[in-house]
Amino acid sequence: MLFSSLPFQFFFLPLFFIAYYLAKKRAHRNFIMLGFSLFFYAWGEPFYIFLMIFSIFANYFFAVLIDRYQSDNQPKSAKYMLIFTIVVNLTLIGIFKYAGFIVNSFTGILGLGHVNINVPLPIGISFYTFQILSYVVDVYNKKVKVQRNMLFLGTYLVGFAHLVAGPIVRYQTIEYELEHRVESMDEFADGLRRFTAGLAKKILIANTMAEICDNILAKYTGGLADSISGIGMWLAVIAYTLQIYYDFSGYSDMAIGLGKMMGFHYLENFNYPYIAKSVTDFWRRWHMSLSTFFRDYVYIPLGGNRVKTARWILNMMIVWFLTGLWHGANWTFVLWGVYFGVLLIIEKTFLQNNLLKIPVLNHVYAIAAFMFGWIIFRAESVPQIGAILSGMFGAHGWGSMLKLAQNGLIKPMHIVMMIAGIICAMPISRKIKEFLVKNGKAVFAIDIASAAALITCIVVLMQGAYNPFIYFRF
């Protein structure tokens, strides 16, 4: 079930909040949240709901055992239990997400040909696995208290607001709120505004950009690579750069908004990443819950930057290899991760004292760096990366906007939404809000804009527009 779908907005969400607010006790509200979350997941994954329930039960007892061993002054037993827990969780995600990739990689190396292993990918497994691991590791490190109420732990692990596409919510972020959160109409209204903003990002901008990108790149996959003009390919890459940002940040906005409507305060996941002045700065602003996860649970335990240069480089490449692999079982994702790892190493060893100090060039460099990264990310194969790049630099001619329009690949509304997407990717909206607040008109203006955006989104959805989220496949 998608946040940006009519069944979710007109049936699931109203029924959930009616039941949620009719319940008075915290335990009852958590039970309702857990039940609706399981139904939400089972809507699209009826079989894998059992995998999720197993994860709740197994990790509940694993964490309790780790805490008991520590209380009994048995550090070795606690450590072995932690390792066992990590192995179990990584084995599950390995089987369902990487089995085919691993087998085909080895058979390819050995020259045994392609082996068809079709294991359907459970939606959101990458996100809820990382949440589980962060909870268990934090229990082991005594950063959080073990949760002895399985209902409350289940509510945290499978909360439908962030279940299938993040942000990755750490237990310590909502540990107190699981039992002591306070809901209010002001928070509910603010959450509804945030949800609507995210919905508009997804429906009005991300989906429109997807039309541009998919229509143009379909020429390549359809065997018409030589018909891709330079202008068309640049439009496709710019469109995808905007699509993935508004698609994912829109989902995060909706998740954060839904959390507020229930009394939870999830951390921000994006901070205007396209105004970054370096790749390092970009990854401090993009998918921040993932970046901080790898920093705290992989990079720092490996030694971080407090080691010799050779070991630091190895640590960086391990982190970015895993970051790429987390996104998908394909060598293009691994290449994407390695690409950013190499760039970050070059930045920290050379560019930070040269190019990154030049005000305009640093921003141009950052834009070029992450746009090229999105080419690798979007491509379905390594040869397609080369085809996109050659097309961008005129290998098949430059073409014209008029020809793209005549072929139905670009429409006036596409250009309007692309310009809107570029403008809104900058902190302009925040400055407008600050101006309205200063003049005492913020709430009224935002509510009018939210209502208009919501009505427009519903109208578009009723027309059966393209709708899936990019990060659902991770």
Side-chain angles (χ1 to χ4, degrees):
M1 188 181 297
L2 303 175
F3 288 174
S4 55
S5 67
L6 295 177
F8 178 81
Q9 294 176 39
F10 284 96
F11 296 100
F12 179 90
L13 209 54
L15 289 174
F16 166 74
F17 278 117
I18 290 171
Y20 184 82
Y21 278 102
L22 283 176
K24 300 301 181 184
K25 293 184 178 180
R26 180 64 54 228
H28 295 167
R29 288 187 174 182
N30 283 346
F31 178 77
I32 289 168
M33 186 176 170
L34 176 60
F36 271 81
S37 295
L38 292 174
F39 175 79
F40 173 87
Y41 191 79
W43 180 277
E45 298 279 14
F47 175 74
Y48 288 124
I49 193 70
F50 297 106
L51 175 64
M52 182 170 289
I53 292 173
F54 168 78
S55 293
I56 295 172
F57 275 87
N59 286 282
Y60 169 81
F61 288 110
F62 293 159
V64 169
L65 283 173
I66 289 172
D67 181 69
R68 181 175 298 173
Y69 286 137
Q70 289 179 325
S71 299
D72 294 340
N73 197 25
Q74 300 181 49
K76 286 188 177 180
S77 297
K79 185 177 182 179
Y80 293 148
M81 193 67 234
L82 173 67
I83 294 171
F84 176 75
T85 303
I86 293 172
V87 169
V88 169
N89 284 286
L90 293 184
T91 299
L92 288 175
I93 193 174
I95 292 172
F96 288 101
K97 187 170 182 176
Y98 301 108
F101 173 70
I102 294 170
V103 170
N104 280 309
S105 294
F106 276 105
T107 55
I109 293 171
L110 298 174
L112 301 177
H114 180 79
V115 178
N116 186 23
I117 298 180
N118 185 20
V119 180
L121 177 65
I123 294 174
I125 189 170
S126 298
F127 287 94
Y128 70 73
T129 298
F130 273 23
Q131 289 189 175
I132 289 169
L133 290 175
S134 71
Y135 163 69
V136 175
V137 172
D138 284 352
V139 168
Y140 174 80
N141 290 327
K142 298 182 180 181
K143 291 183 178 179
V144 299
K145 294 181 180 179
V146 68
Q147 178 54 260
R148 298 189 180 278
N149 186 319
M150 190 179 295
L151 166 64
F152 287 9
L153 181 65
T155 302
Y156 155 68
L157 289 177
V158 301
F160 70 87
H162 56 83
L163 173 61
V164 294
I168 299 168
V169 178
R170 298 195 198 181
Y171 181 75
Q172 57 186 299
T173 301
I174 62 170
E175 180 180 14
Y176 180 81
E177 292 177 337
L178 276 170
E179 301 184 44
H180 306 289
R181 64 187 179 275
V182 177
E183 300 90 345
S184 70
M185 287 306 299
D186 287 342
E187 286 278 285
F188 188 94
D190 193 40
L192 182 58
R193 296 184 195 104
R194 186 68 180 268
F195 178 87
T196 303
L199 184 66
K201 281 185 176 182
K202 166 62 179 170
I203 300 299
L204 302 182
I205 301 181
N207 287 0
T208 304
M209 294 302 100
E211 289 181 19
I212 301 172
C213 182
D214 292 350
N215 288 343
I216 294 174
L217 292 187
K219 285 183 170 291
Y220 173 84
T221 56
L224 300 172
D226 58 353
S227 66
I228 303 174
S229 68
I231 291 176
M233 191 54 76
W234 273 100
L235 279 174
V237 172
I238 293 170
Y240 186 72
T241 299
L242 294 172
Q243 178 198 353
I244 194 168
Y245 170 61
Y246 284 104
D247 187 281
F248 192 19
S249 69
Y251 187 96
S252 294
D253 285 342
M254 286 187 270
I256 292 169
L258 287 171
K260 277 193 172 185
M261 294 162 77
M262 292 178 267
F264 292 103
H265 295 84
Y266 305 143
L267 299 181
E268 295 294 335
N269 209 23
F270 291 87
N271 182 24
Y272 300 103
Y274 290 162
I275 67 170
K277 297 179 181 179
S278 67
V279 173
T280 302
D281 188 25
F282 174 79
W283 280 104
R284 288 175 182 149
R285 297 170 176 272
W286 177 278
H287 200 352
M288 294 184 287
S289 62
L290 180 68
S291 300
T292 55
F293 179 93
F294 275 110
R295 180 197 67 197
D296 295 343
Y297 298 104
V298 181
Y299 181 65
I300 291 176
L302 285 173
N305 59 359
R306 297 183 177 181
V307 291
K308 293 182 179 179
T309 301
R311 178 56 191 269
W312 169 72
I313 291 174
L314 177 62
N315 291 346
M316 289 286 288
M317 295 312 298
I318 290 172
V319 166
W320 285 96
F321 173 85
L322 293 176
T323 301
L325 194 61
W326 178 88
H327 280 85
N330 191 309
W331 283 112
T332 55
F333 291 117
V334 174
L335 179 61
W336 175 79
V338 170
Y339 161 76
F340 274 114
V342 171
L343 265 186
L344 287 165
I345 291 169
I346 293 173
E347 274 193 8
K348 294 178 185 299
T349 56
F350 175 69
L351 293 182
Q352 65 182 356
N353 295 321
N354 298 280
L355 179 64
L356 300 185
K357 290 187 175 181
I358 304 174
V360 178
L361 288 181
N362 56 8
H363 190 57
V364 172
Y365 150 77
I367 293 173
F370 61 67
M371 283 185 67
F372 178 71
W374 293 137
I375 294 171
I376 302 173
F377 194 89
R378 175 61 173 78
E380 297 174 3
S381 64
V382 174
Q384 192 178 16
I385 297 171
I388 293 172
L389 286 171
S390 63
M392 289 174 68
F393 292 97
H396 311 296
W398 289 99
S400 67
M401 293 290 290
L402 179 60
K403 189 172 182 180
L404 290 170
Q406 289 174 342
N407 292 333
L409 298 176
I410 195 78
K411 301 173 184 177
M413 184 52 66
H414 289 159
I415 300 300
V416 170
M417 296 312 298
M418 180 175 284
I419 293 171
I422 293 171
I423 293 172
C424 292
M426 298 180 283
I428 293 175
S429 59
R430 185 174 63 191
K431 291 180 180 179
I432 293 174
K433 184 176 180 180
E434 290 172 355
F435 173 79
L436 292 172
V437 169
K438 185 177 179 180
N439 290 275
K441 301 177 181 178
V443 174
F444 177 75
I446 292 172
D447 285 346
I448 293 296
S450 296
L454 182 60
I455 292 170
T456 304
C457 289
I458 291 172
V459 171
V460 173
L461 286 174
M462 292 178 69
Q463 296 173 351
Y466 170 99
N467 210 20
F469 285 91
I470 291 174
Y471 267 68
F472 267 34
R473 58 188 173 131
F474 304 141

